[in-house]
Amino acid sequence: MPLPAPQTYSPDGFRPLTFHDAVPGFRDGSDTPRAYLERCLATIAEVEPQVMAFASLNEAGAREAADASAARYKAGAPLSPIDGLPIGVKDLLETRDLPTEMGSAFYKGNRPGRDSALVQALRQAGAVIVGKTVTTELGMSHPGPTRHPFDLRRTPGGSSSGSGAVISARMLPAAIGTQVLGSVIRPASFNANWALKPTQGGINRGERQGFSQSTVGIHAGSAQDMWQIAVEIVKRVGGDPGAPGLYFTREDPPAPVVPRRLAVLETEGWAVAEPKAIAAFEQALDVLRAQGIAILRRGDHPLLEALEQRVMGAMGLATDVCAYESAWSVANMMAKNPDALSESLKARFELGCSVTLAQYRMRLLQREEMRRAQAAMAGEVDGFIGLPACGPTPMPGDTGGSSNRILHTTGNPIMNTASSGLGCPVVTVPRMAVDGLPLGISITTQPHQDERAVAIARWIAEAVPPIMV
């Protein structure tokens, strides 16, 4: 059967699912969490066979949780602002009632029987775990089966493939993703999601502590839901061990804030970004200038130029660091069942084995120099603005960003590796389209200024009209 014709995306016309605006209906009895869930499940039944965003579903468990939430609303005692929220969890994170197969044949049938820290927090807040969303193999680059909801010929991005796609397919209002190089921000851009990649360690990763720059992020159909989910998780389980966790001055989403000055952070990805993506972004900058916002480019300020120079090579840095840090765990897999691993993962393993301790230390020093260069800009601008992807989502098999046998076929992460290495918060704002496909705008701030990043991003969403190129 031929695939349906691609849909044309419009930033103004697309309406993702949202949750916060359904809550008043739960409180006055005109709607219920169970009815909301059933609408989600109906869409899943219709769309999932083609999109393939879920690694597993737990409809019975979700209905039970939604009924319990409905009873709490009826009694006037919801557990939190996200009580009753249907949500997907990336299949890298453990869940007690669903498999955790991590997109890998090696872990087929793996059922740890326990919840990751953030999953515990979601349940405690009354959220409804609907299923596990597809990830690339071990959250790296070998793709899973998920297709892009707007164009089934294309990838939804990775590694948070399913988490991005469930939002653009209107199957769920929110999902959990993770990022080491660009796995939250890039698929969010591809799928017209709001997304938060928090400050390094801002949301507790639970058992996922193996990478020094891995973070948990939130995909959602609205900034309000995105922020509220992050807050409710951190209130209960904090950030990573040794990290202070996400800071917030109030629990409800921050109001939009007008920035005085924004710096364009091009990164090494600018050289390979698609011309139409750059043209759309430049239009957005023109809109901001017309509203009195000072926009700094790298030639305008020596400290910004120094930062741009420091983040050149962030892609290679991240590749080396992650390969080194994962080599020991992949070695165990290689010893047990090498046939279950992709050639791309084996190539990463070989790279990790070749990186010496001295080289790893050098890479960490380079990363610290990047962070110091960003910190030097703290008093100069309110934040940074940039492209979260080189362009709209590519076709499967596109090898942009690949290096030898380490393949990136879910989109080039080069636009994201700088902010991942910097460990700073990034928010994706869905305001642009290129060739009828989504493209976001990214807002980045200094570490621990996640709330500011969200506030600026919310203003950007109001100030920048839909841009279609």
Side-chain angles (χ1 to χ4, degrees), residues 32-54:
T32 67
R34 174 62 184 270
Y36 189 103
L37 172 66
E38 290 299 334
R39 295 193 292 272
C40 292
L41 293 177
T43 303
I44 291 170
E46 177 185 355
V47 175
E48 172 62 9
Q50 292 183 319
V51 174
M52 296 181 283
F54 286 97

Side-chain angles (χ1 to χ4, degrees), residues 386-404:
L387 282 169
C390 294
T393 178
M395 293 287 190
D398 181 279
T399 56
S402 299
S403 175
N404 297 321

Side-chain angles (χ1 to χ4, degrees), residues 92-230:
L92 289 180
L93 298 160
E94 293 181 338
T95 42
R96 66 177 186 240
D97 49 3
L98 285 165
T100 303
E101 297 177 331
M102 295 184 265
S104 170
F106 186 91
Y107 285 103
K108 188 69 176 174
N110 177 50
R111 299 186 74 98
R114 56 182 176 260
D115 280 340
S116 188
L118 71 89
V119 178
Q120 289 184 28
L122 288 169
R123 294 192 202 274
Q124 290 168 15
V128 175
I129 311 298
V130 175
K132 304 295 283 293
T133 54
V134 169
T135 176
T136 60
E137 179 190 35
L138 303 182
M140 297 189 192
S141 56
H142 186 69
T146 310
R147 298 162 163 174
H148 197 289
F150 291 121
D151 185 346
L152 296 173
R153 302 169 302 167
R154 297 178 183 268
T155 173
S159 63
S160 303
S161 307
S163 295
V166 296
I167 307 301
S168 54
R170 304 186 79 254
M171 291 193 269
L172 292 176
I176 303 297
T178 65
Q179 175 162 318
V180 179
L181 271 68
S183 297
V184 169
I185 296 304
R186 189 175 75 262
S189 178
F190 289 167
N191 288 277
N193 300 173
W194 279 88
L196 168 67
K197 191 229 37 117
T199 297
Q200 182 65 46
I203 298 176
N204 196 322
R205 287 178 286 161
E207 71 282 1
R208 299 288 304 175
Q209 303 291 328
F211 291 107
S212 63
Q213 62 182 51
S214 169
T215 54
V216 167
I218 314 295
H219 293 258
S222 68
Q224 295 94 320
D225 292 343
M226 174 191 74
W227 181 252
Q228 199 72 68
I229 291 164

